[in-house]
Amino acid sequence: GNSVTQMQGQVTLSEEEFLFINCTYSTTGYPTLFWYVQYPGEGPQLLLKVTTANNKGSSRGFEATYDKGTTSFHLQKASVQESDSAVYYCVLGDGTGSNRLTFGKGTKFSLIP
Amino acid sequence: EAGVTQSPRYAVLQEGQAVSFWCDPISGHDTLYWYQQPRDQGPQLLVYFRDEAVIDNSQLPSDRFSAVRPKGTNSTLKIQSAKQGDTATYLCASRRLGGQDTQYFGPGTRLLVL
């Protein structure tokens, strides 16, 4: 089956620093990879999507790249702001019409006060 | 366009009590998903529907959990006899088949079982 691993449970940075979140995945099919973001009291919302065809995605200043050789998937942002404080999930879609999603455990990002 | 709505937003129960969660998906979305999100974890799929049909309920604890979507629109998830281990946020998501891969999530119902 599909699985996703996010090792970073929490990341804390100063404003305008560089954010990097790593994720590895395991699958037997041809997945679609997503990053979802969840703000307090809300459901997850799609941040961006990367297909195995194009290797990259970007949205709202965030970029994601995937490496098929190492089955890893990264999210990065050059200059973080207070509004970026949230939980970020690496998500694997099963690539079928059902689009079953497998979520990682999430990485909580916050600014140093 | 209205998003996915869920009610209630919060529920507190004693063990052994029953509870129902209600979900209204985005209009025109034929696929509906229910997820369980324990504290500090990612959401985990419980069951999903296409129109009124259950497509996959293999992760639903069938002895106490049930889910229906009788007219292919709104859906109800019910826990018959809640346990402390059921404490979590229950999320509903919907998607339009044939459109983008995007699932749109509601705000969730936070359940606490004492």
Side-chain angles (χ1 to χ4, degrees), chain A residues 24-45:
Chain A
T24 58
Y25 67 92
S26 173
T27 181
T28 56
Y30 298 91
T32 303
L33 303 167
F34 305 88
W35 284 97
Y36 273 76
V37 58
Q38 187 172 27
Y39 299 99
E42 298 182 13
Q45 57 182 268

Side-chain angles (χ1 to χ4, degrees), chain A residues 45-59:
Chain A
Q45 57 182 268
L46 179 66
L47 179 57
L48 49 79
K49 167 179 130 177
V50 174
T51 67
T52 54
N54 60 20
N55 297 347
K56 282 188 177 181
S58 62
S59 172

Side-chain angles (χ1 to χ4, degrees), chain B residues 8-95:
Chain B
R9 292 296 311 274
Y10 304 93
V12 181
L13 306 174
Q14 298 289 334
E15 273 199 322
Q17 288 187 306
V19 63
S20 292
F21 310 129
W22 180 82
C23 172
D24 187 3
I26 293 172
S27 177
H29 282 199
D30 43 18
T31 308
L32 185 147
Y33 308 80
W34 282 104
Y35 291 82
Q36 181 189 60
Q37 184 177 25
R39 186 177 175 81
D40 296 329
Q41 294 189 33
Q44 298 153 14
L45 182 66
L46 291 173
V47 58
Y48 80 97
F49 298 84
R50 185 162 301 137
D51 298 319
E52 68 277 6
V54 173
I55 304 300
D56 183 357
N57 62 0
S58 60
Q59 302 304 310
L60 198 65
S62 57
D63 58 334
R64 297 184 300 107
F65 284 65
S66 62
V68 294
R69 194 186 184 200
K71 296 182 180 179
T73 52
N74 302 336
S75 177
T76 303
L77 176 69
K78 183 174 182 178
I79 306 176
Q80 285 283 10
S81 179
K83 298 182 178 180
Q84 288 187 351
D86 299 330
T87 293
T89 297
Y90 291 84
L91 295 161
C92 177
S94 70
R95 172 177 165 255

